[in-house]
């Protein structure tokens, strides 16, 4: 059976990480991998998570199966985190399941869409997170793209995006990034969300919102404002969220899929289908990460500690955006990189050529993916001078 297989290339980002690890240059910088790092380049466990974990160890008294929904308290707390006091919750039109990370949330959403309409088309931004296309295609959806990032002008191609969305058909799905667009860092402003909302409402396509970075952009509520506006105006919607980045729970694999329906009766029917989708993929989600998140979100003390730790991560990333732009100017770079400060979250395209990306790697041990997407969290006060000097040299 296996004899017919042909070896596939390694995932480019994981391959980059392996090369970085082997590099003996003490000045090496990893701007590839999409995880938050502190000034020392370490991805520490949040203090609120450590406390929640102690509590969990002391109080957990069974490992019995949890069921396809996962923990009801986690699902409830996540719905509130995503929607605040939104009417979709008071109208009882939302249902949430815990999932294995944001990736699991997206796969569940894709299988659910397939149950609604076999072979449905989902539109994703060009560019989008590298895993979106493969993940949706693996679930049997057809993937098409709408214009999103204008590489030349380093801004949103909003006219192109809107024009493409106007051509989408009513039984298609459209994937939108809630905030901190991966890979461009370029987000819609509230006025643009309003316009997208109007198109979604007019056409009636299904918005699928991927929120992998809530709290990493401007703030927890601010980052969800676009999707909340959308939810005010459309009858059906899907939200896929992840606790990997904002709770630092990467390897615990915890996220959520939330579906919104026209009425509480309609959403109960849809929910029964969502649960059957879960049952045949992984049956039930992992419980540990969910227990930590629900402990934090349901405790005033831990929740406020989390807000503080999240703000620290967000402020460090935003600070890095300003620092690298300033340092490039200091090093005599004339090209305008100020767009980096107008983008959000973990990533931005530096906007240099693949050859220049390769030179950064070969000559300076600076690692970023070939598209010149750089992980802003990899910048630190200790390496930013070397980084700016090296970029100046390859330019
Ligand atoms: N969606 C986007 C846009 C992402 O960038 C990521 C992770 O990088 C995910 C989803 C998946 O996150 P998780 O690690 O929770 O599966």
């Amino acid at each position: 059976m296996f004899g017919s297989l042909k070896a596939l290339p390694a995932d480019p980002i994981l391959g980059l990480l392996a090369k970085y690890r082997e590099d003996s240059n003490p000045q090496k910088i990893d701007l590839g991998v999409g995880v938050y790092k502190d000034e020392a380049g370490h991805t520490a466990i949040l203090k609120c998570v450590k406390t929640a974990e102690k509590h969990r160890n002391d109080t957990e008294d069974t490992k019995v199966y949890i069921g396809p929904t996962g923990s009801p308290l986690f699902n409830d707390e996540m719905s509130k985190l995503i929607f605040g006091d939104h009417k979709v919750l008071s109208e009882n039109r939302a249902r949430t399941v815990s999932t294995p990370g944001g990736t699991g949330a997206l796969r569940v959403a894709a299988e659910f869409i397939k149950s609604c309409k076999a072979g449905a088309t989902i539109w994703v931004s060009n560019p989008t997170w590298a895993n979106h296309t493969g993940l949706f295609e693996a679930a049997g959806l057809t993937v098409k793209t709408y214009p999103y990032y204008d590489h030349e002008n380093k801004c949103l191609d909003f006219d192109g995006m809107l024009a493409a969305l106007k051509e989408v058909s009513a039984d298609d799905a459209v994937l939108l990034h809630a905030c901190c667009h991966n890979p461009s860092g370029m987000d819609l402003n509230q006025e643009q969300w309003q316009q997208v909302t109007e198109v979604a409402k007019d056409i009636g396509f299904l918005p699928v919102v991927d929120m992998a970075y809530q709290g990493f952009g401007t703030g927890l509520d601010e980052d969800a404002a676009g999707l909340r506006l959308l939810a005010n105006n459309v009858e059906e919607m899907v939200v896929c969220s992840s606790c990997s980045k904002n709770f630092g729970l990467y390897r615990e694999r915890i996220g959520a899929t939330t579906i919104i329906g026209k009425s509480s009766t309609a959403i109960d029917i849809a929910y029964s289908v969502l649960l059957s989708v879960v049952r045949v993929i992984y049956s039930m989600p992992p419980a540990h990460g969910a227990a930590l998140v629900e402990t934090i979100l349901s405790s005033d003390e831990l929740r406020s500690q989390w807000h503080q730790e999240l703000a620290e991560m967000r402020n460090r990333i935003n600070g890095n955006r300003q620092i690298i732009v300033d340092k490039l100017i200091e090093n005599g770079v004339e090209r305008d990189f100020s767009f980096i400060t107008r983008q959000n979250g973990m990533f931005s395209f530096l906007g240099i050529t693949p050859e220049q990306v390769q030179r950064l790697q070969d000559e300076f041990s600076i690692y970023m993916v070939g598209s010149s997407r750089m992980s802003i969290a990899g910048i630190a006060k200790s390496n930013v001078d070397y980084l700016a000097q090296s970029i100046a040299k390859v330019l």
Side-chain angles (χ1 to χ4, degrees), residues 1 35 57 81 91 108 153 237 282 293 310 322 324 332 376 394:
M1 179 75 87
V35 299
N57 280 341
L81 191 64
E91 290 171 358
V108 166
N153 298 305
M237 183 169 150
Y282 52 82
V293 170
L310 183 58
Q322 190 62 56
I324 183 63
I376 306 288
V394 302

Side-chain angles (χ1 to χ4, degrees), residues 34-36 180 213 216 317 321 344-348 374-377:
V35 299
Y36 176 80
C180 307
Y213 301 93
F216 265 49
I317 293 173
R321 290 183 171 278
N344 293 313
M346 297 273 281
F347 307 107
S348 278
M374 53 175 189
S375 179
I376 306 288

Side-chain angles (χ1 to χ4, degrees), residues 86-95 231-237 258-265 267:
H86 200 282
K87 66 174 183 177
V88 294
L89 300 186
S90 53
E91 290 171 358
N92 195 22
R93 288 170 45 219
R95 299 286 180 276
N232 262 340
N233 291 280
V234 297
E235 291 185 323
E236 294 176 342
M237 183 169 150
T258 303
I259 51 172
I260 293 165
K262 290 181 184 168
S263 65
S264 83
T265 320
I267 202 62

